[in-house]
Amino acid sequence: MKKLFLLTGLAITLAFNGLLAKAENPQVLMETNKGSLIIELFPNEAPESVNNFLAYVNSGYYDGTIFHRVIGNFMIQGGGFDADFNRKPTRAPIQNEADNGLQNRIGTIAMARTNDPHSATSQFFINVANNNSLDFREKTPRAWGYAVFGRVTEGMRTVNQIRTVPTTRHQGHQDVPIEPVIIERVRQIK
């Protein structure tokens, strides 16, 4: 009986420590003209992506940028253009961490990139569908995938409101919201 009590106590302690570790993940508050959301970041799984994102957050880079690409049954993408649709200068690209075991599921945030797997800079997207085709399969240009580095923990109502905005073509880009969806402010809160 004493062993059972000790094992139960150990299991509770481990579970509690696991919850504490998860609660210590950095979080950001993203305020948009459509509402706010809180994003939990996963530095253990995607350290370079999280550090990169937080460097942009903490410098105020995302303030006044827009969600410039919205595909209602796929994802919403932002972090690269200001409200006048001018591309913002970025820091150097980072290495792709899509092989970290995290999947592009509804509510996760991932690094956007070009066809070069290691070209991600400031742009990110939030998945509004389970996008298995974006997950890592192998280290080749076509199958590298897109690195998930966090998830929306509060504010999916805001995400869903953004994903339903009407879009058009603008300056050679498709799926651009007709009325700008502005990221007013992003701040680290934990």
Side-chain angles (χ1 to χ4, degrees), residues 55-75:
Y56 283 110
V57 166
N58 293 327
S59 72
Y61 178 91
Y62 292 123
D63 299 357
T65 60
I66 58 172
F67 280 99
H68 65 276
R69 186 172 175 223
V70 172
I71 304 174
N73 59 355
F74 183 48
M75 59 87 213

Side-chain angles (χ1 to χ4, degrees), residues 103-154:
Q103 297 177 313
N104 284 275
R105 299 285 185 238
I106 294 173
T108 58
I109 184 170
M111 294 304 302
R113 61 174 178 79
T114 66
N115 288 333
D116 174 356
H118 306 291
S119 60
T121 56
S122 66
Q123 291 188 38
F124 60 86
F125 62 91
I126 298 172
N127 289 288
V128 298
N130 291 329
N131 293 315
N132 299 343
S133 64
L134 302 181
D135 292 342
F136 174 82
R137 292 186 306 282
E138 62 184 19
K139 291 184 178 183
T140 62
R142 300 194 81 207
W144 199 285
Y146 293 77
V148 171
F149 64 95
R151 69 181 175 97
V152 176
T153 57
E154 293 180 36

Side-chain angles (χ1 to χ4, degrees), residues 30-69:
M30 182 178 289
E31 299 172 86
T32 78
N33 62 339
K34 299 291 185 186
S36 297
L37 48 136
I38 294 177
I39 301 167
E40 176 188 14
L41 305 176
F42 301 137
N44 292 333
E45 294 81 1
E48 192 168 353
S49 300
V50 168
N51 287 339
N52 177 69
F53 183 72
L54 286 176
Y56 283 110
V57 166
N58 293 327
S59 72
Y61 178 91
Y62 292 123
D63 299 357
T65 60
I66 58 172
F67 280 99
H68 65 276
R69 186 172 175 223

Side-chain angles (χ1 to χ4, degrees), residues 1 4 6 20-21 25 35 48 73 99-100 103 107 125 130 147 157 182 187:
M1 187 67 153
L4 179 61
L6 288 174
L20 279 180
N25 282 344
E48 192 168 353
N73 59 355
D99 59 347
N100 62 17
Q103 297 177 313
F125 62 91
N130 291 329
R157 178 176 288 188
I182 300 170
R187 294 292 177 265

